[in-house]
Amino acid sequence: PTPLTRLTASRSVRTAAMVKYSREPEAGASIKTAKARASDLRTSFKNMRETAMAIKNMPLSKARLYLNRVLEHKDVVCLRRYNGSAGRTPLTKGHGFSGPGRFPEKSVKHLLDLLTNAESNAEGKELDSDNLHITHIQVNQACHGRRRTYRAHGRINAYMSSPCHVEIILTEKEEGVKKADDVVSRPERKTKKQLAKERLTNGASAK
């Protein structure tokens, strides 16, 4: 074969390769899941990781509402791991956290777009979007973007960015059915002192 046909064949093999996720749903549960991922996002890996962990295991509607509130600075992303040189805010108290927090707008916008993509994939599989939960979300570091900055005395230093890869799996959870109240209520047990007090109230002797 000519070099052109070899190149075309290698391109077709690369196109046919499936994108791998770090976690795959179980054999029976794959019908009720929808996936989405994005690579080399131009946003901070550390901020994206904290934002992703904040919405993990949330229902889809609640996660979207929370991210929109962060954009409006009405809620905050708590920095639980990568929290160096970050300021504090009283909004973190609403999450039971007393450490620093931020409003990472770029990361929030990327996550909102990714959730919309995953929801569209779920609708394509005829899943109920009201019962979708974020059962898996993962952020990985991508290759650093290399730039340079010019310093005094003719020196040059590295000026690198930290992009990231993100993957999301949404799962349709069944609505829970409340169990019937079939437990027989037990009579209230009272102490001797309480019984004596009741007898005195009713006019009987305390003996």
Side-chain angles (χ1 to χ4, degrees):
T2 62
L4 183 60
T5 55
R6 276 197 224 105
L7 182 61
T8 310
S10 65
R11 280 180 181 169
S12 62
V13 168
R14 274 194 227 115
T15 309
M18 295 289 289
V19 176
K20 288 187 178 180
Y21 285 74
S22 65
R23 179 183 298 178
E24 292 293 338
E26 298 176 3
S30 59
I31 305 171
K32 295 193 173 184
T33 58
K35 300 185 289 187
R37 65 172 290 144
S39 300
D40 297 303
L41 294 178
R42 294 289 299 274
T43 182
S44 166
F45 159 73
K46 295 181 180 181
N47 284 346
M48 179 62 86
R49 187 264 172 195
E50 298 294 342
T51 311
M53 292 301 105
I55 65 170
K56 189 175 182 180
N57 296 323
M58 273 191 187
L60 177 61
S61 56
K62 185 178 178 182
R64 189 171 281 156
L65 180 64
Y66 166 72
L67 293 176
N68 284 321
R69 284 176 60 82
V70 172
L71 278 181
E72 298 169 0
H73 289 209
K74 294 180 180 177
D75 211 333
V76 70
V77 174
C78 300
L79 305 181
R80 301 179 187 271
R81 178 181 293 180
Y82 301 110
N83 52 12
S85 69
R88 295 162 65 93
T89 169
L91 289 173
T92 56
K93 294 179 182 177
H95 301 275
F97 184 67
S98 59
R102 274 182 181 157
F103 310 96
E105 294 188 4
K106 284 178 70 176
S107 301
V108 167
K109 288 176 182 177
H110 281 304
L111 276 181
L112 283 172
D113 291 341
L114 203 56
L115 289 176
T116 303
N117 191 353
E119 186 183 16
S120 300
N121 295 339
E123 290 174 355
K125 298 176 75 172
E126 298 181 355
L127 300 180
D128 185 8
S129 59
D130 294 333
N131 293 332
L132 291 175
H133 287 65
I134 304 170
T135 53
H136 171 71
I137 182 167
Q138 181 171 308
V139 183
N140 296 325
Q141 292 189 35
C143 293
H144 289 284
R146 301 186 65 87
R147 288 183 293 168
R148 57 173 64 179
T149 182
Y150 300 94
R151 311 304 296 271
H153 312 295
R155 292 175 298 141
I156 293 176
N157 282 4
Y159 205 72
M160 302 171 75
S161 62
S162 300
C164 58
H165 312 307
V166 188
E167 60 183 50
I168 291 179
I169 296 180
L170 301 180
T171 305
E172 183 185 22
K173 293 192 175 181
E174 297 179 358
E175 296 180 358
V177 180
K178 291 184 178 179
K179 191 177 180 181
D181 240 352
D182 55 353
V183 180
V184 180
S185 58
R186 296 180 180 178
E188 185 182 355
R189 298 184 66 180
K190 296 181 180 180
T191 62
K192 289 182 180 180
K193 191 174 181 181
Q194 289 173 336
L195 291 171
K197 192 175 181 181
E198 284 184 3
R199 284 198 297 270
L200 283 173
T201 309
N202 296 333
S205 64
K207 293 182 182 179

